[in-house]
Structures are given as structure tokens and as C-alpha cells.
Amino acid sequence: SDFGFFEALTVSFSNWGITENSLAVGSSIKYHWFVYAWMGGVTKAAQLPSWVMLSRAGIVIGVVAVVCLAWIAISYFCRSYLSRVVALLIFCFFDSYPSWGSGFRIGLISSPSQLIGFAWLLAILVLIIEQQKQKVKYSSLLYLVLFTGAMLSKISHGVVGLSGLIFLATVELISKKKITLQRLSDVVVSLTTVVTLFLMFYFGANNATISPLKFPAAIQGELSNYAGVFIFSASVVLMLGFVNFQLTAVLGGLSSRSIRGNSVFLFCIGTGVSGVLLSLVIDVYMGAQLYFLHSATIVLLIFAACFTTNVIDSFVEKLLSARKLLLVICVGFLSAIVAWLIPSLDSGSKLAILLR
């Protein structure tokens, strides 16, 4: 567990501020320190034990913030209240790849900076949604604040959010042959913020290299002796394991004329593309480049959950007649009986032998 490392950072920041690094005295901090500095500041101000903010209060605050922002975004995509509740449950409990760390579910408490950083990234998504509904005053200033929080919480959130915004602006420029002054201002301010903070707090850490398709070997050591088509095949399988649900929903959205031109949907696609590409191209110790994909899939998961519940809603509406509903119930009941009658393939029964 990295808890001891995070606690050391929190204590260091609470006692000596962000200019000192107790783990490497005399060297600058090339790390996403913002969340741990915040926790350290609260710990010192409230005179709490060092573990309270890190393992209790900070996690609760992060989860509540993420869930509230996710609800706002889900309310934009979903038509009915029941659909919103179901979509929120999907968002909170979905886990696409549990064998890597803690998976992608909302309860990722092994990395407080990643969890709380989700709140900053989802706040950017909510701002995109508000801009789709109405003109937002001082949006560039809001982007400055939100991208600062996202970048300092963890670099993956800021980079993925910026990629989504640039992708949205590019598609608008190509399709409409022009770009609004407000959108251009938002992109310039966001890009300047991300690049400046990267140069100030991350550049020179020397913990990442450009080395394509290294993440499978990093997270599954038995692949370290393979190269070429083997490692490429493993990359494809693992990547599909990460994003298959979200990818299916995106393909469904692209097939819908009412969705594919939506600005919020385009932002989600942009985050997803950047998350996949960065995870494939960059090599970081222990496969940490997958945090870029992790950040992107959280944004895509909101759309995927909403798209799924909307499709189910439409399907249910078509089955409201008693005869069709009875047919579905009967088919489901009979399927359950058949599944119960099928023996385990390892049971040794004649039917199991036949099925094998």
C-alpha cells in the first residue's frame, strides 16, 4: 500500500509547506501534491491526527463531490428520474478491470489524489454542459480555476480534460467553418494553464518515457519476455477490457443523429481518445500511464451509463402492452430454469461430458 507514502507527504506539507520535501530533502517536488497539501493544511488547522483526512474525511468529501457532480451530468443526458438513479448506480459501482489496482469504480480509495481529482475533472464536464445550455459569463476564468485544480490533483485529469476541450473546439471549427471567440478564449486559457503547471511542477521528474505498448508487461509481469504481435495482441485485449462498455455506448451515440453532434458528447469522445492514446504510447513505472485512461473512462462512463438507461427506457416503453410483457417474463423464467438444469461442466455427469 502507498498509504505510508501519502501520510508522509501530508505530514510534511502540514509542517513545512509545499516548498520542502521531507522524502527528498533539498530537491524540488515533482509530484501531484495539491490534494495532500490540502489534507495537510486541514489536519494542521483542525489539529487532527495525521490519518483522519487521508483515510476518512478526505475520502468522504471526494466521494460526495464526485457523486454530486456526476448527478448533474447524468441529469443532462437522462430523460426520467428513474433513469438518472439507475445511471448513477452504474457509475458508482461499475468496475471494468478489477485486477489492475482497485479497478475503475468510484471507491478508488487507494489513491486520494485520483479520487478527488475526479471532482475537478467532472466539474469541467459540468461547465461544458452549462455552456451547451446557455452562455456562461467568465467561463475562461472558471476554466483557469478548474484546470489548475485538475492538474495539481493529478496530471492525467488536466491533460485528459484539455484534450476533450481541444477535440470539441476542433470538431466545431471543421463542421461550422468557424469558432466562437468565447470557445477560442476557453481553449487558449486552458492550454496555457495546463502547460504552465506542467512545466512548473512536473517537468523534469524523469519518470515517463515515450515507449509504445509497454503497459501490458507493466501490469502483468509474465508478458515482459514477449514483444511484437504478442504484446500488441495483449494490449488490444486489455484495452478492450478497460473500455468495452464505454466503447459500445460511444458507437451507439455516433449512430444517433441527435447525439453525435452534441458538444458534451464530443467532449467525452475527446477525453476517451486521449486516454487511450496516452496509455498506449507513454511508459511509466508499474503501468501508471493507465491513470490517463482511468481519467478518461470516468467521463465516458457517465455517458455510457446514461445511454444504456435511455435505451432500456425506450425498450420498456415498447413492451408496455400486457401480451409482450408476459412473453418477456415467460422467456426469462424459462431461461432461468434451463440455466438451473445445466450441470457444472466439471461435475462428471453425462450431460456435462457431452457439453464439454
Side-chain angles (χ1 to χ4, degrees):
S1 173
D2 292 329
F3 186 84
F5 171 67
F6 297 145
E7 186 175 14
L9 282 178
T10 303
V11 173
S12 174
F13 291 141
S14 65
N15 291 332
W16 302 291
I18 64 172
T19 58
E20 287 293 334
N21 184 358
S22 64
L23 301 176
V25 177
S27 62
S28 58
I29 301 174
K30 300 293 183 181
Y31 197 72
H32 39 271
W33 52 266
F34 179 69
V35 171
Y36 304 107
W38 164 66
M39 289 183 174
V42 174
T43 296
K44 184 176 182 179
Q47 296 182 342
L48 299 171
S50 59
W51 55 269
V52 172
M53 281 297 294
L54 191 61
S55 63
R56 297 292 188 273
I59 300 301
V60 171
I61 292 171
V63 169
V64 170
V66 168
V67 170
C68 290
L69 289 165
W71 177 261
I72 295 173
I74 286 170
S75 298
Y76 172 78
F77 285 114
C78 289
R79 294 189 290 263
S80 67
Y81 181 80
L82 180 60
S83 296
R84 295 170 189 173
V85 173
V86 174
L88 183 63
L89 291 175
I90 293 174
F91 173 77
C92 290
F93 294 104
F94 182 82
D95 194 353
S96 63
Y97 195 63
S99 61
W100 178 70
S102 297
F104 288 178
R105 60 188 179 276
I106 195 63
L108 184 80
I109 61 174
S110 59
S111 177
S113 58
Q114 185 77 347
L115 175 61
I116 295 175
F118 287 150
W120 292 99
L121 179 59
L122 293 183
I124 295 172
L125 173 63
V126 169
L127 181 54
I128 294 287
I129 291 173
E130 290 302 314
Q131 286 186 304
Q132 175 77 352
K133 296 178 180 178
Q134 61 185 340
K135 184 176 180 180
V136 178
K137 290 184 177 181
Y138 312 114
S139 60
S140 297
L141 180 60
L142 292 174
Y143 278 117
L144 171 64
V145 174
L146 295 178
F147 273 104
T148 298
M151 275 293 289
L152 294 181
S153 294
K154 185 161 280 189
I155 188 173
S156 59
H157 299 305
V159 172
V160 162
L162 176 64
S163 300
L165 184 60
I166 292 177
F167 182 84
L168 167 60
T170 303
V171 172
E172 288 180 341
L173 178 61
I174 294 174
S175 60
K176 299 178 181 179
K177 307 300 181 183
K178 63 178 182 180
I179 185 171
T180 64
L181 182 61
Q182 187 61 63
R183 183 74 77 194
L184 180 61
S185 173
D186 294 341
V187 171
V188 171
V189 169
S190 302
L191 178 61
T192 303
T193 302
V194 169
V195 172
T196 301
L197 292 174
F198 171 78
L199 294 175
M200 289 177 61
F201 297 107
Y202 296 106
F203 184 73
N206 298 322
N207 63 341
T209 58
I210 303 298
S211 186
L213 302 181
K214 283 296 184 70
F215 80 87
I219 63 176
Q220 293 190 336
E222 66 271 15
L223 297 174
S224 59
N225 295 324
Y226 294 90
V229 66
F230 295 101
I231 202 71
F232 178 79
S233 300
S235 300
V236 172
V237 172
L238 288 173
M239 193 63 69
L240 289 176
F242 285 131
V243 300
N244 60 84
F245 176 56
Q246 292 92 331
L247 180 60
T248 302
V250 168
L251 292 176
L254 289 172
S255 65
S256 172
R257 183 175 298 179
S258 61
I259 295 178
R260 60 172 173 253
N262 185 284
S263 296
V264 183
F265 177 60
L266 292 173
F267 173 80
C268 293
I269 291 178
T271 61
V273 171
S274 65
V276 170
L277 292 179
L278 288 169
S279 295
L280 289 174
V281 172
I282 297 176
D283 181 29
V284 187
Y285 179 64
M286 293 182 64
Q289 65 268 30
L290 287 177
Y291 277 116
F292 289 100
L293 183 61
H294 191 177
S295 300
T297 52
I298 287 297
V299 177
L300 284 173
L301 181 57
I302 288 181
F303 170 77
C306 295
F307 182 82
T308 301
T309 54
N310 287 337
V311 169
I312 294 174
D313 256 359
S314 300
F315 180 72
V316 170
E317 287 176 2
K318 296 177 182 178
L319 294 175
L320 286 180
S321 65
R323 183 177 299 178
K324 290 182 179 179
L325 184 59
L326 180 62
L327 177 62
V328 171
I329 293 174
C330 291
V331 170
F333 183 69
L334 291 174
S335 299
I337 294 176
V338 172
W340 179 75
L341 291 174
I342 296 175
S344 170
L345 297 182
D346 298 323
S347 66
S349 68
K350 292 182 179 180
L351 182 57
I353 295 172
L354 179 62
L355 290 174
R356 286 204 299 269

